[in-house]
Amino acid sequence: MARTIQSLERAAAMLRLLAGGERRLGLSDVASALGLAKGTAHGILRTLQQEGFVEQDPASGRYQLGAELLRLGNSYLDVHELRARALLWADDLARSSGESVYLGVLHQQGVLIVHHVFRPDDSRQVLEVGAMQPLHSTALGKVLCAYDPVAHSQLLEAEREAFTAQTVTALPELEGVLDLTRARGWAADVEETWEGVASVAAPIHDRHRMPVGAVGITGAVERVYEAGELRAQLVAAVRDCARAVSRDLGAGRF
């Protein structure tokens, strides 16, 4: 069995303690409830306070959960709301396009796949929920970088690996790709990440018209790419799906 880190276990126990029962607890209350020395409890509480996970009331000196936990919790809920709103539309997109559908969000200098609908045929496929895709070479990643300033800044910091001969890694060229993405409202990946594979993706916005994710299709080049261009009906289907999810999130018409 893997060893655990005692200080992290104690910090987690403190957060759970503060989340239930009394709204605010004093140092003695926390130490007593967890069976810790006051000095140990105080050190952990101070660390959690510095990170924003715990706040101390100036008047009483008692501790309560901090705003940073609320921010993290909202982020978790936002992703789950996005996925919940996208389920039906993603299924419809897979049926109408005949290709695999992916829903991605920004995570740790990459694209985290939070929903994946299999291509509607009898071929063997692997569920890729939880997989990470690069920002610079995938259609999902380009969309996020084009519309989300945080994603764009992470693109500048991330390692931009050349996966194929088609991968664009130079920053000036990438900026041009992002400008084009913003101008037309969608992004493409034609054998830039995987040879023989093409993708198209479009942005999803929330009620504040902020980019919260991207949805796209991925398939064999010969099915997605035709006469030197991505098939127009597939691009239109992806954009319609992104708009529908955005509307369900309260973004209105785009």
Side-chain angles (χ1 to χ4, degrees):
M1 181 180 294
R3 296 180 62 186
T4 57
I5 301 175
Q6 188 180 55
S7 58
L8 292 180
E9 288 182 330
R10 288 172 171 175
M14 283 186 185
L15 293 175
R16 293 191 186 98
L17 179 65
L18 292 171
E22 296 283 341
R23 177 175 172 78
R24 293 174 179 166
L25 294 173
L27 173 60
S28 297
D29 300 322
V30 173
S32 176
L34 299 179
L36 299 175
K38 282 189 178 180
T40 301
H42 185 251
I44 297 173
L45 284 168
R46 286 292 299 274
T47 302
L48 291 172
Q49 184 179 1
Q50 289 172 3
E51 296 299 323
F53 297 133
V54 165
E55 295 175 356
Q56 186 178 28
D57 179 60
S60 66
R62 290 176 171 265
Y63 295 90
Q64 65 183 27
L65 295 180
E68 181 64 11
L69 277 178
L70 177 62
R71 187 190 70 81
L72 292 176
N74 283 340
S75 175
Y76 174 83
L77 292 173
D78 287 346
V79 169
H80 280 259
E81 182 184 7
L82 170 62
R83 184 178 181 276
R85 298 288 185 178
L87 290 177
L88 177 61
W89 299 110
D91 285 344
D92 286 347
L93 178 58
R95 281 193 294 269
S96 65
S97 67
E99 302 295 346
S100 301
V101 175
Y102 294 87
L103 182 69
V105 298
L106 178 66
H107 181 68
Q108 295 181 350
Q109 296 187 339
V111 182
L112 174 66
I113 302 303
V114 296
H115 187 53
H116 174 202
V117 183
F118 284 164
R119 185 172 63 255
D121 59 21
D122 295 328
S123 62
R124 184 176 180 180
Q125 300 173 63
V126 177
L127 187 66
E128 296 186 44
V129 172
M132 293 291 293
Q133 294 186 3
L135 287 172
H136 69 288
S137 64
T138 62
L140 292 171
K142 293 175 192 177
V143 164
L144 293 174
C145 291
Y147 288 91
D148 186 344
V150 176
H152 183 266
S153 65
Q154 291 189 10
L155 173 69
L156 306 182
E157 301 170 1
E159 180 181 352
R160 298 187 292 274
E161 180 180 348
F163 299 107
T164 73
Q166 308 303 319
T167 309
V168 177
T169 59
L171 191 55
E173 293 179 62
L174 276 173
E175 293 290 6
V177 170
L178 299 185
D179 287 341
L180 178 60
T181 298
R182 284 185 286 267
R184 63 189 183 183
W186 54 274
D189 163 14
V190 182
E191 297 190 282
E192 295 177 53
T193 310
W194 304 279
E195 292 184 357
V197 176
S199 304
V200 58
I204 296 172
H205 297 81
D206 66 8
R207 63 183 60 86
H208 305 296
R209 301 220 167 186
M210 296 295 293
V212 292
V215 64
I217 60 168
T218 296
V221 170
E222 59 266 24
R223 294 195 306 267
V224 179
Y225 205 63
E226 186 176 60
E229 294 183 351
L230 287 161
R231 290 170 56 194
Q233 61 267 42
L234 292 181
V235 174
V238 170
R239 297 192 70 190
D240 286 346
C241 177
R243 292 190 187 104
V245 178
S246 297
R247 286 196 299 270
D248 277 3
L249 289 170
R253 297 186 63 85
F254 270 82

